Amino acid sequence: ISLFSFLVFLRYQIYYGYPLETYLEYPIIIAQDAILLFCIMHFSGKAKRALFYAAVFWVGWYMLTLQKWIIDLAMNLCTFISAASKLVQLQHLWQTKDSGQVSALTWGMSAYTCATRIITTVMTTNDLAVLIRFIIMLILNIWVTATILHYSKTKKTD
């Protein structure tokens, strides 16, 4: 799902002709994921299946920009999916009341990245859909980080 979100976000940026600097890291991340997936499938004897997935990827890549509403809808759905995954993480933390092996530093870095992306988006494109995405992700990342810190402190004092 995260690979799909990356792909939609990258395609969204390209579709609207935003400066390369605003999305340059996404092609690199996607290439790394694609190479990793291909290696996993190759070494597990499923290389033909990898070709099928590559074909589905290219068809999807093309279809995203057939109509403006498709790319806009895909961007909004990716925001919803990303937010949902963070809410699931929060729900798990609340139910277990244990931060376990979850890293507050990693979630904090995610929050910092979102804050940075908000600033760069305002300075470069001022795209409302992208801003909403990063504001929602910032709020949820801070919330998860705070929850992790709360439960890690509770665990140490018990």
Side-chain angles (χ1 to χ4, degrees):
I1 292 177
S2 65
L3 179 60
F4 177 73
S5 294
F6 280 135
L7 294 173
V8 169
F9 192 74
L10 175 63
R11 191 68 170 154
Y12 183 88
Q13 299 283 336
I14 293 169
Y15 180 81
Y16 283 105
Y18 292 148
L20 184 65
E21 299 83 29
T22 63
Y23 62 87
L24 187 60
E25 74 271 13
Y26 288 100
I28 295 167
I29 292 169
I30 291 168
Q32 288 174 343
D33 286 346
I35 290 168
L36 177 64
L37 288 173
F38 179 76
C39 287
I40 290 169
M41 293 192 146
H42 173 72
F43 290 112
S44 65
K46 299 176 183 176
K48 288 183 181 178
R49 189 176 291 177
L51 293 175
F52 170 75
Y53 289 130
V56 169
F57 163 78
W58 287 114
V59 169
W61 183 260
Y62 172 74
M63 289 180 66
L64 279 173
T65 55
L66 287 176
Q67 299 277 327
K68 180 185 178 303
W69 69 267
I70 296 172
I71 191 71
D72 291 339
L73 177 65
M75 180 65 170
N76 292 326
L77 287 175
C78 285
T79 300
F80 176 76
I81 291 168
S82 294
S85 70
K86 289 171 183 20
L87 290 171
V88 168
Q89 179 71 49
L90 277 166
Q91 181 183 21
H92 177 73
L93 287 168
W94 295 332
Q95 286 175 346
T96 62
K97 297 186 183 334
D98 181 20
S99 61
Q101 298 297 316
V102 183
S103 170
L105 179 61
T106 302
W107 282 94
M109 288 171 51
S110 293
Y112 173 78
T113 301
C114 287
T116 304
R117 297 291 288 168
I118 290 169
I119 294 167
T120 58
T121 300
V122 168
M123 294 174 64
T124 57
T125 64
N126 213 21
D127 185 295
L128 187 60
V130 175
L131 282 172
I132 289 170
R133 174 181 176 76
F134 285 121
I135 289 168
I136 290 170
M137 295 305 110
L138 174 64
I139 291 166
L140 291 173
N141 284 334
I142 290 171
W143 196 358
V144 171
T145 304
T147 304
I148 293 167
L149 291 173
H150 172 73
Y151 287 127
S152 65
K153 288 179 184 176
T154 304
K155 185 178 174 185
K156 289 178 184 176
T157 58
D158 285 346

mmCIF file of all heavy atoms in Angstrom, residues 5 76-90 107 132-133 136-137 140-141 144:
data_model
loop_
_atom_site.group_PDB
_atom_site.id
_atom_site.type_symbol
_atom_site.label_atom_id
_atom_site.label_comp_id
_atom_site.label_asym_id
_atom_site.label_seq_id
_atom_site.Cartn_x
_atom_site.Cartn_y
_atom_site.Cartn_z
ATOM 1 N N SER A 5 0.954 4.405 -2.632
ATOM 2 C CA SER A 5 0.870 5.814 -2.249
ATOM 3 C C SER A 5 2.018 6.607 -2.836
ATOM 4 O O SER A 5 1.828 7.724 -3.330
ATOM 5 C CB SER A 5 0.874 5.949 -0.728
ATOM 6 O OG SER A 5 -0.291 5.398 -0.184
ATOM 7 N N ASN A 76 -6.337 11.679 -2.962
ATOM 8 C CA ASN A 76 -7.144 11.745 -1.741
ATOM 9 C C ASN A 76 -7.300 10.379 -1.082
ATOM 10 O O ASN A 76 -7.288 10.269 0.148
ATOM 11 C CB ASN A 76 -8.503 12.372 -2.044
ATOM 12 C CG ASN A 76 -8.374 13.839 -2.401
ATOM 13 O OD1 ASN A 76 -7.522 14.539 -1.873
ATOM 14 N ND2 ASN A 76 -9.194 14.294 -3.318
ATOM 15 N N LEU A 77 -7.445 9.335 -1.881
ATOM 16 C CA LEU A 77 -7.540 7.986 -1.320
ATOM 17 C C LEU A 77 -6.246 7.579 -0.626
ATOM 18 O O LEU A 77 -6.271 6.915 0.412
ATOM 19 C CB LEU A 77 -7.905 6.976 -2.410
ATOM 20 C CG LEU A 77 -9.343 7.019 -2.897
ATOM 21 C CD1 LEU A 77 -9.542 6.056 -4.072
ATOM 22 C CD2 LEU A 77 -10.312 6.682 -1.767
ATOM 23 N N CYS A 78 -5.118 7.970 -1.196
ATOM 24 C CA CYS A 78 -3.832 7.656 -0.565
ATOM 25 C C CYS A 78 -3.692 8.372 0.778
ATOM 26 O O CYS A 78 -3.144 7.813 1.724
ATOM 27 C CB CYS A 78 -2.676 8.027 -1.490
ATOM 28 S SG CYS A 78 -2.493 6.856 -2.828
ATOM 29 N N THR A 79 -4.182 9.598 0.854
ATOM 30 C CA THR A 79 -4.167 10.316 2.131
ATOM 31 C C THR A 79 -5.022 9.561 3.151
ATOM 32 O O THR A 79 -4.610 9.356 4.292
ATOM 33 C CB THR A 79 -4.689 11.757 1.952
ATOM 34 O OG1 THR A 79 -3.839 12.434 1.028
ATOM 35 C CG2 THR A 79 -4.715 12.499 3.268
ATOM 36 N N PHE A 80 -6.190 9.121 2.723
ATOM 37 C CA PHE A 80 -7.083 8.360 3.601
ATOM 38 C C PHE A 80 -6.419 7.065 4.061
ATOM 39 O O PHE A 80 -6.457 6.717 5.246
ATOM 40 C CB PHE A 80 -8.396 8.067 2.871
ATOM 41 C CG PHE A 80 -9.331 7.207 3.643
ATOM 42 C CD1 PHE A 80 -10.059 7.716 4.713
ATOM 43 C CD2 PHE A 80 -9.484 5.865 3.328
ATOM 44 C CE1 PHE A 80 -10.915 6.917 5.440
ATOM 45 C CE2 PHE A 80 -10.345 5.054 4.048
ATOM 46 C CZ PHE A 80 -11.066 5.581 5.108
ATOM 47 N N ILE A 81 -5.796 6.340 3.158
ATOM 48 C CA ILE A 81 -5.139 5.071 3.496
ATOM 49 C C ILE A 81 -3.986 5.297 4.460
ATOM 50 O O ILE A 81 -3.823 4.565 5.446
ATOM 51 C CB ILE A 81 -4.669 4.343 2.220
ATOM 52 C CG1 ILE A 81 -5.885 3.853 1.425
ATOM 53 C CG2 ILE A 81 -3.726 3.197 2.553
ATOM 54 C CD1 ILE A 81 -5.554 3.392 0.017
ATOM 55 N N SER A 82 -3.179 6.326 4.211
ATOM 56 C CA SER A 82 -2.055 6.624 5.099
ATOM 57 C C SER A 82 -2.553 7.001 6.490
ATOM 58 O O SER A 82 -1.981 6.574 7.501
ATOM 59 C CB SER A 82 -1.206 7.754 4.521
ATOM 60 O OG SER A 82 -0.593 7.354 3.329
ATOM 61 N N ALA A 83 -3.605 7.808 6.542
ATOM 62 C CA ALA A 83 -4.165 8.201 7.835
ATOM 63 C C ALA A 83 -4.741 6.985 8.557
ATOM 64 O O ALA A 83 -4.548 6.828 9.768
ATOM 65 C CB ALA A 83 -5.239 9.270 7.637
ATOM 66 N N ALA A 84 -5.408 6.129 7.828
ATOM 67 C CA ALA A 84 -5.995 4.930 8.427
ATOM 68 C C ALA A 84 -4.920 4.040 9.038
ATOM 69 O O ALA A 84 -5.113 3.481 10.127
ATOM 70 C CB ALA A 84 -6.802 4.159 7.392
ATOM 71 N N SER A 85 -3.784 3.900 8.366
ATOM 72 C CA SER A 85 -2.726 3.047 8.905
ATOM 73 C C SER A 85 -2.166 3.614 10.208
ATOM 74 O O SER A 85 -1.839 2.871 11.132
ATOM 75 C CB SER A 85 -1.612 2.846 7.876
ATOM 76 O OG SER A 85 -0.880 4.033 7.683
ATOM 77 N N LYS A 86 -2.089 4.926 10.301
ATOM 78 C CA LYS A 86 -1.604 5.540 11.535
ATOM 79 C C LYS A 86 -2.646 5.404 12.655
ATOM 80 O O LYS A 86 -2.293 5.192 13.819
ATOM 81 C CB LYS A 86 -1.240 6.996 11.284
ATOM 82 C CG LYS A 86 0.033 7.134 10.448
ATOM 83 C CD LYS A 86 0.261 8.534 10.022
ATOM 84 C CE LYS A 86 1.464 8.714 9.127
ATOM 85 N NZ LYS A 86 2.003 7.616 8.420
ATOM 86 N N LEU A 87 -3.914 5.508 12.303
ATOM 87 C CA LEU A 87 -4.971 5.319 13.298
ATOM 88 C C LEU A 87 -4.998 3.882 13.814
ATOM 89 O O LEU A 87 -5.252 3.658 15.006
ATOM 90 C CB LEU A 87 -6.321 5.721 12.718
ATOM 91 C CG LEU A 87 -6.499 7.232 12.489
ATOM 92 C CD1 LEU A 87 -7.773 7.504 11.703
ATOM 93 C CD2 LEU A 87 -6.488 7.984 13.811
ATOM 94 N N VAL A 88 -4.705 2.933 12.951
ATOM 95 C CA VAL A 88 -4.616 1.535 13.386
ATOM 96 C C VAL A 88 -3.454 1.369 14.360
ATOM 97 O O VAL A 88 -3.567 0.669 15.377
ATOM 98 C CB VAL A 88 -4.475 0.585 12.170
ATOM 99 C CG1 VAL A 88 -4.082 -0.813 12.604
ATOM 100 C CG2 VAL A 88 -5.767 0.554 11.380
ATOM 101 N N GLN A 89 -2.334 2.017 14.070
ATOM 102 C CA GLN A 89 -1.183 1.968 14.987
ATOM 103 C C GLN A 89 -1.568 2.562 16.343
ATOM 104 O O GLN A 89 -1.247 1.995 17.384
ATOM 105 C CB GLN A 89 -0.003 2.739 14.397
ATOM 106 C CG GLN A 89 1.220 2.775 15.283
ATOM 107 C CD GLN A 89 1.926 1.450 15.378
ATOM 108 O OE1 GLN A 89 2.193 0.826 14.382
ATOM 109 N NE2 GLN A 89 2.236 1.008 16.579
ATOM 110 N N LEU A 90 -2.261 3.691 16.314
ATOM 111 C CA LEU A 90 -2.709 4.309 17.570
ATOM 112 C C LEU A 90 -3.653 3.386 18.340
ATOM 113 O O LEU A 90 -3.517 3.219 19.556
ATOM 114 C CB LEU A 90 -3.413 5.639 17.275
ATOM 115 C CG LEU A 90 -2.514 6.841 17.081
ATOM 116 C CD1 LEU A 90 -3.297 7.999 16.475
ATOM 117 C CD2 LEU A 90 -1.861 7.243 18.387
ATOM 118 N N TRP A 107 9.058 7.743 14.538
ATOM 119 C CA TRP A 107 7.810 8.483 14.354
ATOM 120 C C TRP A 107 8.041 9.979 14.456
ATOM 121 O O TRP A 107 7.423 10.771 13.746
ATOM 122 C CB TRP A 107 6.755 8.014 15.349
ATOM 123 C CG TRP A 107 6.146 6.717 14.937
ATOM 124 C CD1 TRP A 107 6.533 5.470 15.332
ATOM 125 C CD2 TRP A 107 5.061 6.530 14.033
ATOM 126 N NE1 TRP A 107 5.749 4.515 14.734
ATOM 127 C CE2 TRP A 107 4.829 5.140 13.931
ATOM 128 C CE3 TRP A 107 4.247 7.392 13.302
ATOM 129 C CZ2 TRP A 107 3.835 4.611 13.133
ATOM 130 C CZ3 TRP A 107 3.245 6.856 12.509
ATOM 131 C CH2 TRP A 107 3.054 5.479 12.431
ATOM 132 N N ILE A 132 -2.981 19.424 2.643
ATOM 133 C CA ILE A 132 -3.893 18.693 3.532
ATOM 134 C C ILE A 132 -3.290 17.349 3.913
ATOM 135 O O ILE A 132 -3.322 16.937 5.078
ATOM 136 C CB ILE A 132 -5.279 18.530 2.878
ATOM 137 C CG1 ILE A 132 -5.989 19.877 2.829
ATOM 138 C CG2 ILE A 132 -6.123 17.495 3.613
ATOM 139 C CD1 ILE A 132 -7.254 19.883 2.001
ATOM 140 N N ARG A 133 -2.708 16.661 2.936
ATOM 141 C CA ARG A 133 -2.081 15.364 3.196
ATOM 142 C C ARG A 133 -1.005 15.479 4.273
ATOM 143 O O ARG A 133 -0.993 14.736 5.243
ATOM 144 C CB ARG A 133 -1.493 14.802 1.911
ATOM 145 C CG ARG A 133 -0.697 13.515 2.127
ATOM 146 C CD ARG A 133 -0.109 12.998 0.819
ATOM 147 N NE ARG A 133 0.708 11.856 1.020
ATOM 148 C CZ ARG A 133 0.257 10.627 1.250
ATOM 149 N NH1 ARG A 133 -1.034 10.403 1.329
ATOM 150 N NH2 ARG A 133 1.096 9.623 1.423
ATOM 151 N N ILE A 136 -2.384 16.468 7.825
ATOM 152 C CA ILE A 136 -2.993 15.301 8.485
ATOM 153 C C ILE A 136 -1.909 14.336 8.968
ATOM 154 O O ILE A 136 -1.944 13.857 10.109
ATOM 155 C CB ILE A 136 -3.986 14.600 7.535
ATOM 156 C CG1 ILE A 136 -5.216 15.476 7.318
ATOM 157 C CG2 ILE A 136 -4.390 13.221 8.075
ATOM 158 C CD1 ILE A 136 -6.141 14.994 6.214
ATOM 159 N N MET A 137 -0.931 14.063 8.117
ATOM 160 C CA MET A 137 0.140 13.133 8.505
ATOM 161 C C MET A 137 0.963 13.694 9.655
ATOM 162 O O MET A 137 1.370 12.946 10.555
ATOM 163 C CB MET A 137 1.057 12.831 7.312
ATOM 164 C CG MET A 137 0.398 12.089 6.154
ATOM 165 S SD MET A 137 -0.404 10.558 6.629
ATOM 166 C CE MET A 137 -2.107 10.998 6.410
ATOM 167 N N LEU A 140 -1.081 13.232 12.901
ATOM 168 C CA LEU A 140 -1.110 11.822 13.307
ATOM 169 C C LEU A 140 0.265 11.314 13.742
ATOM 170 O O LEU A 140 0.367 10.540 14.708
ATOM 171 C CB LEU A 140 -1.683 10.962 12.181
ATOM 172 C CG LEU A 140 -3.173 11.181 11.913
ATOM 173 C CD1 LEU A 140 -3.611 10.421 10.667
ATOM 174 C CD2 LEU A 140 -4.003 10.775 13.122
ATOM 175 N N ASN A 141 1.327 11.740 13.064
ATOM 176 C CA ASN A 141 2.674 11.323 13.471
ATOM 177 C C ASN A 141 3.028 11.860 14.858
ATOM 178 O O ASN A 141 3.638 11.150 15.667
ATOM 179 C CB ASN A 141 3.713 11.782 12.449
ATOM 180 C CG ASN A 141 3.713 10.942 11.201
ATOM 181 O OD1 ASN A 141 3.334 9.780 11.215
ATOM 182 N ND2 ASN A 141 4.125 11.533 10.096
ATOM 183 N N VAL A 144 1.012 9.754 17.373
ATOM 184 C CA VAL A 144 1.615 8.435 17.588
ATOM 185 C C VAL A 144 2.884 8.572 18.431
ATOM 186 O O VAL A 144 3.106 7.802 19.367
ATOM 187 C CB VAL A 144 1.916 7.717 16.245
ATOM 188 C CG1 VAL A 144 2.727 6.450 16.475
ATOM 189 C CG2 VAL A 144 0.627 7.386 15.507
#
